[in-house]
């Protein structure tokens, strides 16, 4: 079943990519129009289904209209915006203009989408558009579930990969998003992402709720901020394709807080840009609500984001976010902020992820999880002995050696691996492990008693005292140690090389920042 | 002097804390590293690659004030490097031995204090405090009495921030060099010690990987079939060095770097040589001009340091130069020699001090793989070697730039008050 899905996605992508190659368009000029057409095709599919349902239920006394569709949560498509209308056009027609008009017509009928849909179709050749329309029309009607959502996400990811560095800004690899969702378990409530990009975090949250047999639109409300207007549009389309509605605003989260975030959210998920410099701290240094631990003295935005995330949570809120590795060991004023954060008892779980998970950078990363309501589990919760979580513990997980190699430069997690990692967290919390994705064998191998235990090289529960002894480091490598094993196994060499490579990548990254600072300072001195 | 600037005694803005007198019976190989005089290298760094330790059990509350942390400023109070300062780079706690002192900023910006004490001028002043005795020696209070310029705190911050970017990048580059070197060594051991080499990347070349090669007996244990046990001199020629007469000034201070064991650091490539000779000097000594990537091994006195010149160099008679024969790549010869250093060190002779002689190399048995495998290996690691050289060159440039800026900044000659500099606050 899922195999079929990925076949469809891959076939569509290959065909669409070939069209692009023949058209000599740049990937960045092509991606938004194609995503717009996928959106249109999806909307049309929903509209057609609803059309049949409404016709069957109709008593014929009253004409079925726009409000009937909207009442059922379906986008109303006027005739010029119907996919079938567009398909009837020939190469002699001005197809670009026709699609622009279709997009315009949809926006006019649907207030939520105002200014969201692309209108740049006249810059694509007629022949390319005809082929694209045909291609998208070929998506089989009988595929189940959230097929369009998957296709949209697949295309987003592929475009991110082909657009190079820039693409990484709006796309977090699905495997990482899924792991974050599994750990914070956003069942119900308000979810916030102040660096929401194309909305991958929201889509996965909704899927998580669905997998637990609940209706996402009734259970969760999503709120986002994103600084690039174009990405805000991609995000809104993404939500619409997944049948979700949310409040996504265009804003720069360092300076703007359009959602009045402090203390408001049940869940927070984010993948902020790493190591951003030149944030104007003068503008925000007095905002103690959003930055309760003060300004870092170094020119790096990481600890601004961390505080934004922390302060957005309500008293029982949970956060999961992606962080640069360097933040876990950062010294000086950043250490001071980290110490306050750890002493607030909000630190819950830290997971080290290996390199090559992101499409456009090889950099490894660390996932940080906060839980303001962190408590020891009640003793009888699971019936098999509780977890070991306490207000002053943090679970460190080293997942750098857990991955699936996709191609030479890219890795992800299998569903089984994601479930396994999340299950370690569940055991730590004294919850029952989930076994719907086949992680039973892995869990049984490492935790034969189905009870949390420290495993060298994999996981370790540290107390605040332990963390203080490590100079307030949140680097999992410092706590979990290395797995015992053969002195010279094949894996040892690879592991060693990997560890070295990760360190090298972090240093390369850090060096770029220093080089820029030096260049800037020298320019200032020379111009003075 | 610029507005708001004054002069102060170092003691007004710093505390000088001399280290602890550990007993000679305290020293061990493992435990907590202790910074001694020898670790202050005189190039602004504190080198912990060969560090002595004391047992963890020694760390009592009484010793807490001798525990150092990353970024601490240290000064050597005696010996060859008396007056030299170094900035500690350490991820873990380190202790401080006697005759080395910590300069602890109080009420001044730490990076600015570092800027001040790391000037040539200030280090010379420190050295002169100790003058007059056979063994130079200085006290903490003498150091505290040295006069320094003192701008207002915001200016200190800006100056500190400009300069620390250089220090941080130099440290970053050095760490990257170390990592790249470790990667190359790890790969060498994987292929040539553990015999886990892959098949050649081009399928047509047909060189098999280790899975296709069986192991056979040899005098050095099991080795892959087709490999040979040979004398080291069959892998590389062992060549000697020499020194032109020191009495002839025309031979010295020329354009040719002249390597002696003192120039060897713990890095693969020699940075700079203390001495240089002229073309004439080269003609009048028994050293050849050894090209880039020749392997130099120190053979007398300090035995067994293995390095390579990044540019053509001559060398003195305390070293041997090793050049691979029959097309054996220098990078392979280098890593092979490095891997054999322990053997060489154990097999030294000499009446008054340890020496390696040509006979030592002749007797040393090594395993020789196919020339194709060596070439494949060298092609794989060459970019890493080149990268370390580029990083080292960058560090030379950064040090020079920093040294150029430093006096002008702390004298106020370059006015930083109006510049757009992201200034760092004092870090506790």
């Amino acid at each position: 079943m899922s195999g079929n899905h990925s076949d469809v996605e891959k076939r569509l992508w290959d065909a669409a990519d070939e069209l692009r190659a023949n058209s000599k368009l740049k990937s960045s000029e092509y991606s938004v129009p194609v995503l717009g057409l996928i959106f249109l095709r999806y909307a049309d599919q929903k509209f057609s289904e609803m059309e049949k349902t409404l016709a069957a239920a109709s008593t014929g006394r009253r004409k079925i209209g726009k409000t009937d569709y909207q009442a059922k949560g379906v986008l109303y498509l006027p005739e010029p915006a119907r996919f079938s209308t567009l398909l009837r056009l020939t190469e002699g027609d001005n197809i670009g203009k026709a699609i622009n008009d279709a997009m315009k017509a949809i926006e006019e009928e649907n207030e939520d989408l105002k200014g969201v849909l692309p209108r740049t179709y006249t810059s694509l050749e007629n022949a390319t558009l005809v082929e694209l329309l045909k291609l998208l029309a070929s998506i089989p009607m009988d595929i189940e579930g959230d097929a369009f959502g998957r296709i949209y996400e697949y295309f987003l990811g592929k475009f991110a990969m082909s657009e190079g560095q820039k693409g990484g800004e709006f796309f977090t690899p699905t495997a990482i998003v899924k792991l974050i969702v599994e750990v914070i378990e956003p069942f119900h409530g308000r979810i916030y992402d102040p660096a929401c990009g194309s909305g991958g975090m929201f889509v996965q949250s909704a899927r998580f709720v669905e997998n637990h047999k609940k209706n996402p639109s009734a259970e969760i409300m999503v709120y986002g901020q994103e600084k690039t207007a174009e990405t805000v549009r991609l995000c809104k389309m993404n939500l619409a394709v997944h049948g979700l509605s949310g409040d996504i605003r265009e804003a720069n989260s360092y300076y703007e807080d359009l959602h009045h975030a402090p203390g408001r959210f049940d869940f927070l998920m984010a993948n902020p840009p790493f190591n951003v410099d030149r944030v104007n701290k003068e503008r925000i240094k007095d905002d103690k609500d959003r930055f309760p631990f003060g300004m870092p003295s170094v020119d790096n935005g990481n600890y601004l984001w961390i505080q934004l995330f922390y302060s957005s949570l309500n008293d029982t809120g949970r956060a999961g976010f992606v962080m640069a590795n360097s933040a876990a060991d950062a010294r000086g004023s950043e250490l001071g902020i980290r110490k306050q954060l750890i002493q607030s008892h909000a630190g819950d779980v830290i997971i080290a992820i290996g390199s090559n998970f992101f499409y456009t950078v090889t950099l490894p990363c660390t996932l940080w999880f906060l839980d303001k309501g962190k408590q020891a589990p009640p003793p009888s919760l699971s019936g098999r002995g509780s977890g070991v979580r306490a207000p002053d513990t943090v679970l460190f997980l080293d997942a750098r050696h857990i991955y699936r190699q996709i191609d030479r430069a890219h890795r992800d997690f299998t569903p089984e691996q994601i479930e396994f990692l999340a299950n370690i967290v569940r055991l730590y919390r004294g919850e029952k492990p989930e076994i719907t994705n086949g992680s039973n064998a892995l869990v049984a191998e490492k935790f034969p008693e189905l009870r949390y235990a420290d495993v060298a090289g994999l996981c370790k529960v540290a107390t605040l005292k332990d963390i203080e002894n490590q100079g307030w480091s949140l680097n999992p490598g410092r706590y979990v140690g290395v797995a015992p094993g053969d002195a010279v196994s094949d894996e040892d060499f690879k592991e060693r090389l990997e560890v070295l490579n990760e360190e090298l990548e972090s240093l390369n990254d850090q060096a770029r920042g220093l080089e820029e600072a030096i260049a800037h300072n020298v320019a200032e001195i020379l111009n003075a | 002097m610029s507005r708001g600037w004054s002069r102060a005694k170092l003691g007004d803005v710093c505390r000088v804390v001399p280290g602890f007198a550990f007993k000679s019976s305290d020293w061990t190989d493992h435990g907590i590293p202790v910074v001694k005089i020898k670790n202050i290298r005189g190039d602004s760094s504190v080198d912990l690659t060969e560090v002595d330790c004391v047992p963890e059990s020694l760390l009592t509350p009484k010793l807490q004030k001798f525990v150092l942390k990353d970024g601490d400023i240290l000064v050597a109070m005696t010996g060859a490097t008396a007056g030299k300062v170094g900035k500690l780079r350490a991820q873990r706690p380190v202790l401080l031995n006697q005759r080395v002192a910590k300069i602890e900023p109080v009420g001044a910006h730490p990076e600015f204090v570092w800027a001040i004490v790391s000037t040539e001028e200030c280090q010379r002043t420190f050295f002169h405090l100790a003058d007059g005795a056979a063994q130079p020696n200085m006290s903490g209070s003498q150091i505290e009495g040295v006069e320094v310029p003192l701008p207002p705190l915001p200016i200190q911050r800006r100056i500190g921030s400009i300069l620390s970017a250089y220090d941080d990048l130099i440290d970053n580059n050095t760490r990257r060099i170390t990592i790249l070197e470790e990667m190359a060594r790890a790969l060498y051991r994987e292929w040539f010690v553990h015999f886990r080499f892959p098949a050649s990347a081009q399928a047509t070349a047909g060189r098999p990987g280790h899975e296709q090669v069986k192991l056979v007996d040899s005098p050095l244990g099991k080795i892959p079939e087709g490999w040979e046990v040979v004398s080291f001199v069959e892998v590389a020629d062992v060549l000697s060095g020499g020194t032109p007469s020191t009495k002839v000034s025309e031979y010295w201070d020329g354009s040719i770097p002249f390597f002696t064991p003192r120039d060897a650091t713990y890095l693969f490539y020699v940075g700079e040589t203390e001495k240089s000779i002229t073309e004439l000097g080269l003609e009048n000594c028994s050293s050849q001009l050894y090209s880039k990537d020749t392997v130099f091994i120190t053979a007398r006195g300090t035995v067994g340091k293995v390095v390579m010149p990044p540019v053509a160099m001559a060398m003195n008679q305390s070293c041997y130069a090793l050049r691979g024969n029959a097309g054996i790549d220098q990078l392979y010869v280098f890593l092979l020699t490095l891997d054999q250093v322990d053997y060489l060190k154990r097999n030294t002779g000499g009446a008054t001090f340890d020496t390696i002689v040509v006979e030592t190399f002749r007797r040393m048995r090594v395993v020789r793989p196919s020339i194709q495998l060596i070439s494949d290996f060298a092609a794989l690691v060459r970019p890493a070697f080149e990268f370390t050289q580029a990083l080292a060159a960058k560090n030379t440039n950064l040090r020079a730039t920093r040294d150029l800026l430093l006096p002008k900044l702390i004298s106020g000659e370059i006015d930083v008050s109006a510049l757009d500099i992201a200034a760092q606050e004092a870090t506790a």
Side-chain angles (χ1 to χ4, degrees):
Chain A
M1 195 181 80
S2 60
N4 284 342
H5 279 164
S6 55
D7 282 352
V8 173
E9 291 147 16
K10 193 176 175 315
R11 194 165 49 74
L12 284 171
W13 169 262
D14 288 346
D17 196 42
E18 198 182 314
L19 278 176
R20 183 196 59 76
N22 294 335
S23 73
K24 308 216 165 40
L25 282 168
K26 274 189 260 158
S27 185
S28 55
E29 297 165 331
Y30 186 66
S31 56
V32 174
V34 171
L35 291 167
L37 284 179
I38 296 174
F39 170 81
L40 184 61
R41 176 72 177 79
Y42 161 81
D44 191 72
Q45 160 102 353
K46 287 284 173 205
F47 188 84
S48 304
E49 283 167 13
M50 192 49 64
E51 199 173 26
K52 278 186 213 137
T53 316
L54 289 174
S58 165
T59 53
R61 256 181 290 163
R62 186 175 70 83
K63 197 173 179 311
I64 298 160
K66 174 177 161 183
T67 45
D68 297 289
Y69 289 93
Q70 289 176 335
K72 299 279 184 187
V74 167
L75 276 183
Y76 179 74
L77 298 188
E79 191 55 31
R82 296 301 305 271
F83 210 78
S84 47
T85 310
L86 296 175
L87 274 176
R88 275 195 299 272
L89 298 173
T90 64
E91 281 202 38
D93 296 310
N94 187 340
I95 300 176
K97 182 169 182 304
I99 302 177
N100 282 351
D101 290 345
M103 295 294 175
K104 188 161 163 251
I106 295 173
E107 288 189 7
E108 271 164 12
E109 298 288 348
N110 299 277
E111 190 59 30
D112 281 358
L113 291 171
K114 201 129 211 97
V116 168
L117 303 177
R119 308 265 191 88
T120 56
Y121 290 93
T122 42
S123 62
L124 272 66
E125 281 173 28
N126 258 6
T128 310
L129 289 171
V130 167
E131 288 303 316
L132 268 178
L133 288 169
K134 263 197 226 158
L135 183 69
L136 293 175
S138 75
I139 298 172
M141 288 300 201
D142 57 345
I143 47 178
E144 331 158 17
D146 182 18
F148 279 95
R150 283 172 204 275
I151 291 167
Y152 187 89
E153 265 187 283
Y154 187 83
F155 271 61
L156 260 187
K158 284 288 195 179
F159 280 124
M161 223 192 272
S162 58
E163 279 172 33
Q165 199 69 32
K166 189 174 160 278
E169 282 173 19
F170 65 85
F171 196 80
T172 311
T174 312
I176 287 184
V177 181
K178 277 185 181 161
L179 179 57
I180 292 176
V181 167
E182 290 285 323
V183 171
I184 70 171
E185 304 185 318
F187 274 121
H188 178 87
R190 297 170 195 262
I191 301 177
Y192 185 37
D193 182 347
C196 70
S198 54
M201 298 281 181
F202 301 134
V203 169
Q204 290 304 328
S205 316
R207 207 164 273 161
F208 177 82
V209 172
E210 237 167 43
N211 289 346
H212 290 81
K213 309 276 182 282
K214 296 212 172 130
N215 175 9
S217 51
E219 298 294 329
I220 58 175
M221 283 159 287
V222 304
Y223 300 82
Q225 285 195 163
E226 165 56 43
K227 74 172 193 312
T228 321
E230 183 177 281
T231 312
V232 171
R233 290 199 284 274
L234 286 177
C235 180
K236 286 184 174 175
M237 278 196 276
N238 196 10
L239 292 183
V241 163
H242 287 85
L244 288 167
S245 64
D247 188 353
I248 310 301
R249 309 278 185 92
E250 182 187 335
N252 183 333
S253 291
Y254 296 116
Y255 311 117
E256 295 167 283
D257 177 25
L258 303 182
H259 292 300
H260 310 289
R264 184 177 179 206
F265 293 97
D266 300 291
F267 299 98
L268 181 140
M269 289 182 285
N271 173 23
F274 292 176
N275 306 322
V276 172
D277 60 358
R278 321 239 110 210
V279 178
N280 184 350
K281 284 179 280 197
E282 279 303 307
R283 280 176 68 180
I284 53 177
K285 68 178 186 340
D286 297 324
D287 190 345
K288 293 288 174 203
D289 288 340
R290 294 203 302 150
F291 305 102
F293 303 133
M295 292 291 114
S297 61
V298 292
D299 191 14
N300 185 316
N302 291 345
Y303 275 82
L304 297 174
W305 285 111
I306 292 170
Q307 295 189 69
L308 276 183
F309 301 155
Y310 171 84
S311 63
S312 297
L313 299 176
N314 61 27
D315 290 345
T316 56
R318 284 179 175 178
F321 52 90
V322 187
M323 247 305 123
N325 277 4
S326 54
D329 282 315
R331 297 185 282 250
S333 60
E334 296 182 310
L335 188 152
I337 296 172
R338 187 168 67 243
K339 182 174 156 187
Q340 293 179 64
L341 176 74
I342 297 167
Q343 285 177 331
S344 79
H345 291 115
D348 190 19
V349 181
I350 306 284
I351 306 181
I353 307 288
S355 53
N356 293 323
F357 268 76
F358 289 86
Y359 290 136
T360 51
V361 288
T362 54
L363 214 60
C365 66
T366 310
L367 305 184
W368 293 36
F369 296 91
L370 309 178
D371 187 345
K372 278 200 184 164
K374 182 176 60 168
Q375 282 168 350
S380 62
L381 191 71
S382 65
R384 54 167 66 83
S386 71
V388 295
R389 186 156 88 141
D392 79 331
T393 59
V394 174
L395 169 66
F396 288 96
L397 260 167
D398 188 349
R400 285 178 298 179
H401 308 306
I402 299 175
Y403 56 81
R404 165 173 64 186
Q405 196 80 36
I406 311 170
D407 56 42
R408 192 183 54 77
H410 297 103
R411 294 168 171 177
D412 69 356
F413 292 127
T414 62
E416 180 190 5
Q417 288 166 336
I418 293 171
E419 189 177 78
F420 171 61
L421 291 168
N423 275 339
I424 300 175
V425 178
R426 292 191 184 100
L427 290 173
Y428 159 69
R429 289 177 179 153
E431 296 167 4
K432 235 176 115 171
E434 293 195 356
I435 48 163
T436 47
N437 284 315
S439 69
N440 354 12
L442 274 171
V443 172
E445 182 197 329
K446 299 287 184 191
F447 308 95
E449 314 220 350
L450 285 188
R451 198 190 288 255
Y452 177 83
D454 291 341
V455 177
L458 178 64
C459 58
K460 161 94 185 165
V461 171
T463 63
L464 247 52
K465 190 76 204 141
D466 299 332
I467 297 171
E468 186 178 357
N469 286 340
Q470 289 288 346
W472 303 102
S473 166
L474 287 181
N475 174 357
R478 292 226 186 165
Y479 299 90
V480 301
V482 288
D486 319 355
V488 280
S489 76
D490 210 20
E491 282 313 302
D492 279 355
F493 165 70
K494 285 190 179 155
E495 275 177 27
R496 183 84 200 110
L497 200 60
E498 243 165 53
V499 169
L500 287 170
N501 193 45
E502 269 156 28
E503 211 180 326
L504 185 67
E505 290 285 357
S506 309
L507 286 168
N508 288 343
D509 188 49
Q510 213 179 72
R512 277 191 286 277
L514 288 166
E515 282 158 8
E516 278 164 26
I518 287 174
H520 171 82
N521 290 348
V522 168
E524 281 287 315
I525 290 171
L526 291 177
N527 292 333
Chain B
M1 194 167 289
S2 312
R3 203 154 46 88
W5 289 54
S6 59
R7 288 192 76 81
K9 292 241 162 45
L10 208 45
D12 298 337
V13 291
C14 304
R15 222 161 31 133
V16 176
V17 187
F20 180 75
F22 288 99
K23 292 199 284 282
S24 52
S25 58
D26 290 339
W27 303 110
T28 56
D29 288 344
H30 299 284
I32 307 171
V34 182
V35 176
K36 288 180 162 181
I37 290 279
K38 65 170 183 183
N39 303 109
I40 311 288
R41 291 190 54 90
D43 62 353
S44 302
S45 75
V46 179
D47 176 13
L48 296 179
T49 40
E50 281 166 23
V51 72
D52 297 313
C53 300
V54 294
E56 304 248 357
S57 56
L58 227 58
L59 188 55
T60 56
K62 199 185 78 174
L63 285 190
Q64 274 304 328
K65 72 179 241 203
F66 304 106
V67 175
L68 302 174
K69 58 178 193 314
D70 186 70
D72 276 351
I73 303 166
L74 306 180
V75 58
M77 299 166 81
T78 191
T81 53
K84 294 288 185 194
V85 295
K87 195 197 238 177
L88 180 71
R89 297 288 184 168
Q91 307 284 332
R92 302 197 171 217
V94 177
L95 281 162
L96 187 64
N97 193 35
Q98 62 180 339
R99 305 314 308 155
V100 188
K102 172 165 68 163
I103 299 180
E104 201 170 44
V106 184
H109 192 269
E111 290 297 342
F112 178 76
V113 171
W114 167 244
I116 289 281
V117 300
S118 62
T119 52
E120 275 283 326
E121 190 195 344
C122 192
Q123 297 189 55
R124 219 176 307 123
T125 310
F126 289 160
F127 179 76
H128 287 307
L129 295 174
D131 234 8
Q135 168 81 325
N137 228 333
M138 70 192 75
S139 71
S141 51
Q142 278 179 306
I143 294 173
E144 287 179 347
V146 171
E147 230 188 44
V148 293
L150 194 69
L153 207 53
I155 301 292
Q156 291 181 26
R157 273 189 205 133
R158 282 161 178 269
I159 293 173
S161 174
I162 291 171
L163 292 170
S164 67
Y166 289 90
D167 292 340
D168 289 348
L169 189 52
I170 289 168
D171 178 54
N172 176 301
N173 289 336
T174 309
R175 280 161 68 194
R176 285 194 283 174
I177 291 172
T178 317
I179 289 171
L180 291 162
E181 292 182 349
E182 203 178 328
M183 284 174 150
R185 291 188 77 157
L187 193 70
Y188 171 86
R189 291 189 62 79
E190 180 72 0
W191 283 32
F192 300 112
V193 178
H194 301 307
F195 308 132
R196 281 188 301 258
F197 47 92
S200 57
Q202 296 86 3
T204 46
R207 182 182 56 68
H210 69 98
E211 297 92 344
Q212 287 92 48
V213 178
K214 67 173 180 193
L215 294 179
V216 297
D217 285 321
S218 86
L220 292 176
K222 296 263 189 205
I223 61 170
E225 189 166 31
W227 294 28
E228 290 171 288
V229 172
V230 297
S231 159
F232 181 84
V233 297
E234 287 186 54
V235 175
D237 295 327
V238 180
L239 308 161
S240 54
T243 308
S245 169
T246 50
K247 295 195 184 82
V248 185
S249 63
E250 284 83 13
Y251 295 165
W252 294 91
D253 299 323
S255 59
I256 301 167
F258 186 73
F259 176 81
T260 74
R262 291 165 62 104
D263 300 316
T265 63
Y266 54 94
L267 297 177
F268 283 4
Y269 281 99
V270 185
E272 311 218 316
T273 59
E274 205 178 285
K275 294 176 184 166
S276 62
I277 57 173
T278 58
E279 295 283 345
L280 201 62
L282 183 66
E283 281 167 31
N284 289 284
C285 82
S286 47
S287 173
Q288 307 174 30
L289 184 62
Y290 290 109
S291 61
K292 174 179 185 299
D293 289 353
T294 301
V295 178
F296 288 168
I297 178 166
T298 62
R300 268 178 277 284
T302 323
V303 165
K305 289 218 173 183
V306 186
V307 292
M308 285 188 291
V311 292
M313 286 185 186
M315 63 167 197
N316 80 352
Q317 62 283 1
S318 298
C319 325
Y320 287 107
L322 311 174
R323 294 222 50 110
N325 55 34
I328 291 180
D329 196 281
Q330 283 306 114
L331 301 186
Y332 172 80
V333 175
F334 177 77
L335 291 166
L336 167 70
T337 312
L338 211 54
D339 204 55
Q340 293 290 331
V341 158
D342 283 341
Y343 171 91
L344 289 166
K345 280 185 176 171
R346 275 197 313 275
N347 289 277
T348 53
T352 49
F353 44 40
D354 286 349
T355 48
I356 303 173
V357 293
V358 177
E359 188 57 26
T360 324
F361 290 104
R362 198 167 282 140
R363 278 200 305 268
M364 181 164 75
R365 306 268 122 189
V366 293
V367 176
R368 184 173 62 188
S370 75
I371 196 85
Q372 181 62 46
L373 189 64
I374 291 174
S375 303
D376 289 356
F377 174 77
L380 202 56
V381 295
R382 181 154 278 113
F385 278 76
E386 300 288 339
F387 192 24
T388 65
Q389 283 178 54
L391 289 169
K394 216 163 132 179
N395 273 355
T396 308
N397 172 295
L398 289 166
R399 283 199 189 93
T401 315
R402 181 188 186 277
D403 291 347
L404 189 70
L405 284 172
L406 182 54
K408 298 208 185 300
L409 288 171
I410 60 170
S411 65
E413 193 182 329
I414 297 176
D415 180 11
V416 297
S417 56
L419 302 187
D420 170 27
I421 306 286
Q424 300 195 3
E425 287 155 33
T427 51

